[in-house]
Amino acid sequence: MYRNLRVVPQLIFGRGSVRQLGDILAARRKDSRAPAIFLIDRVHEGKEFVGQLPAAASDLVIFVNVDTEPKTVYVDELTRRSQEFSSQQASVVGIGGGSTMDLAKAVALMLTNPGSSSEYQGWDLVNNPGVYHVGIPTLAGTGAEVSRTTVLTGPIRKLGINSDYTPFDQIILDADLLAGAPKDQRFYTAMDSFIHASESLLGTFINEFSRAFAEKSQALCRDVFLGDIEDAVADEMLMVASYLGGMSIAYSQVGVCHALCYGLSYVLGVRHGVGNCIAFNHLEEYYPEDVPTFRAMLERHNIELPRGLTEGMSEQQMNEMIRVALSLDPLWQNALGPDWKEKMTPERARELYLRM
Ligand code: NAD
Ligand code: ZN
């Protein structure tokens, strides 16, 4: 059976396009008095573009905290606040990096599905379509703006709510909003899309559809970080690279690097972008051409990766990290094939972690 891929149906691309949000919401508001819930990364509080957002008096604006990556308890709290604010079926607008994209997608689902978001971590467990939701990224790389998942840390696991109802109804890709991202963060998040493409291209699930997106996504990253592109153009290219990387894995899968990174984040709280960079740097055996390219990009941009992460770690933490990583069967199947358990034993995973 081939996957029947749900994609984001409406997209605006262009600098300044966030100003079209008013028109987009106006069309929704025409025959409803339902509010819009704005979930905005609090790093943007007070910025000029936030002051110009079309938030009405009847809307709810919440500046969200993404100091740690999204947790199910936080999604449940934001959902409760939205429900207390209005009993009408709202729209949700998410503005921020991948973490805020995921919060917005999750809250949109939880406004129409009972219980806690932790009950929906998994594949196709969501019964009702979420409310209308718009995604406006302010970092480029995760592909969260196009994906059918929202990655959440719950009481038992870090796992997405993967469903056909998860993708945004509308995204606005406005490269102006990437301005001001710290240099390291911009790099780490961009490398997420480079690594998505690498894992997609070298995985066993690869197909011509995914290959086309991944190749272009990687070419854009290489041009931005190894070429001589001015920043203004570079941000637009990264926004496209993120979208294409996300599209590529939507029809293939990620691999060794993401599986190991999930272990790092679950046990040590390492963030997605930097965690993938730390892991990728040690995976030349699996990604023989892309890891040297990645290192060249690091060097050119003077990015110092954290080191010695697993030094002094307890045996229990190490085992937990290996357990989390090796539980991600589809990722390993893609990376190493159906007999992956013979190739990626707990001992081998430990060896790789010890390098980090
Ligand atoms: P992020 O959203 O976690 O943000 C990282 C930091 O950058 C935060 O401190 C944030 O406040 C700040 N920031 C965001 N935009 C900024 C800007 N324009 N200027 C200054 N600071 C800014 O980072 P990310 O790398 O975009 O996202 C990582 C998250 O995305 C993780 O939670 C990961 O699990 C998730 N993710 C989701 C998917 C998916 O398909 N749903 C895919 C990959 C990653
Ligand atoms: Zn990723």
Side-chain angles (χ1 to χ4, degrees):
M1 271 277 272
Y2 292 102
R3 189 172 310 159
N4 195 357
L5 182 66
R6 161 120 5 169
V7 294
V8 172
Q10 299 213 269
L11 171 160
I12 304 180
F13 174 83
R15 287 188 178 272
S17 56
V18 70
R19 289 194 287 274
Q20 285 173 243
L21 180 62
D23 293 342
I24 289 166
L25 293 179
R28 312 281 323 165
R29 297 187 204 266
K30 215 177 278 171
D31 41 33
S32 135
R33 296 202 5 252
I37 313 288
F38 287 79
L39 302 179
I40 307 172
D41 186 330
R42 69 177 184 187
V43 77
H44 299 306
E45 195 168 1
K47 288 190 185 168
E48 194 184 344
F49 85 89
V50 171
Q52 293 168 352
L53 287 171
S58 55
D59 293 337
L60 174 64
V61 177
I62 302 178
F63 289 101
V64 295
N65 178 344
V66 294
D67 290 346
T68 56
E69 294 187 343
K71 294 191 169 54
T72 51
V73 284
Y74 192 38
V75 169
D76 295 348
E77 181 199 320
L78 292 171
T79 305
R80 211 167 30 245
R81 281 174 69 182
S82 306
Q83 282 163 335
E84 281 165 9
F85 181 75
S86 166
S87 56
Q88 301 228 29
Q89 184 161 307
S91 303
V92 173
V93 179
I95 305 178
S99 294
T100 310
M101 294 295 96
D102 280 354
L103 285 173
K105 287 155 91 173
V107 169
L109 290 173
M110 294 316 300
L111 284 172
T112 54
N113 287 280
S116 160
S117 51
S118 61
E119 293 163 42
Y120 299 92
Q121 286 180 281
W123 280 271
D124 302 304
L125 303 174
V126 180
N127 295 317
N128 306 315
V131 302
Y132 178 83
H133 51 306
V134 181
I136 309 179
T138 68
L139 278 174
T142 65
E145 66 278 17
V146 282
S147 72
R148 83 191 280 278
T149 189
T150 157
V151 183
L152 303 176
T153 302
I156 304 173
R157 60 190 128 244
K158 179 171 181 187
L159 182 63
I161 303 180
N162 296 265
S163 84
D164 273 352
Y165 301 130
T166 309
F168 285 110
D169 296 291
Q170 167 86 55
I171 53 177
I172 298 179
L173 305 180
D174 180 345
D176 278 348
L177 305 185
L178 305 184
K183 173 181 155 234
D184 286 16
Q185 184 64 58
R186 174 180 185 262
F187 182 85
Y188 296 144
T189 302
M191 284 305 111
D192 195 15
S193 71
F194 183 79
I195 297 168
H196 288 158
S198 196
E199 293 179 303
S200 176
L201 286 168
L202 294 177
T204 61
F205 294 2
I206 191 64
N207 53 74
E208 290 314 310
F209 183 81
S210 283
R211 188 191 309 282
F213 289 113
E215 284 179 350
K216 184 65 186 176
S217 178
Q218 276 201 329
L220 287 164
C221 291
R222 274 194 301 264
D223 288 349
V224 166
F225 291 109
L226 294 176
D228 290 304
I229 307 274
E230 53 183 290
D231 276 1
V233 183
D235 277 344
E236 291 182 27
M237 291 164 74
L238 290 180
M239 211 141 217
V240 180
S242 174
Y243 178 92
L244 297 177
M247 283 298 288
S248 180
I249 49 172
Y251 220 69
S252 59
Q253 185 50 275
V254 286
V256 181
C257 184
H258 272 72
L260 295 174
C261 177
Y262 267 63
L264 287 176
S265 337
Y266 190 79
V267 175
L268 299 175
V270 178
R271 296 184 87 96
H272 188 85
V274 68
N276 274 305
C277 288
I278 292 167
F280 199 64
N281 196 26
H282 298 288
L283 296 176
E284 202 164 347
E285 287 131 274
Y286 301 97
Y287 306 103
E289 286 176 24
D290 295 337
V291 171
T293 306
F294 165 75
R295 291 197 190 122
M297 296 193 270
L298 274 178
E299 198 169 315
R300 170 99 182 253
H301 292 271
N302 298 316
I303 307 283
E304 279 283 337
L305 287 179
R307 286 178 188 274
L309 243 67
T310 52
E311 254 166 43
M313 212 177 170
S314 73
E315 188 56 20
Q316 191 199 353
Q317 280 182 309
M318 176 59 88
N319 288 335
E320 181 72 343
M321 216 154 70
I322 296 170
R323 179 191 67 78
V324 171
L326 295 190
S327 70
L328 298 163
D329 185 77
L331 281 66
W332 294 109
Q333 288 228 14
N334 173 47
L336 305 174
D339 58 346
W340 67 266
K341 288 189 178 151
E342 288 159 32
K343 298 174 185 156
M344 187 51 65
T345 57
E347 294 71 43
R348 176 78 183 126
R350 174 188 301 264
E351 219 174 278
L352 292 170
Y353 273 135
L354 286 175
R355 295 181 194 172
M356 301 174 194

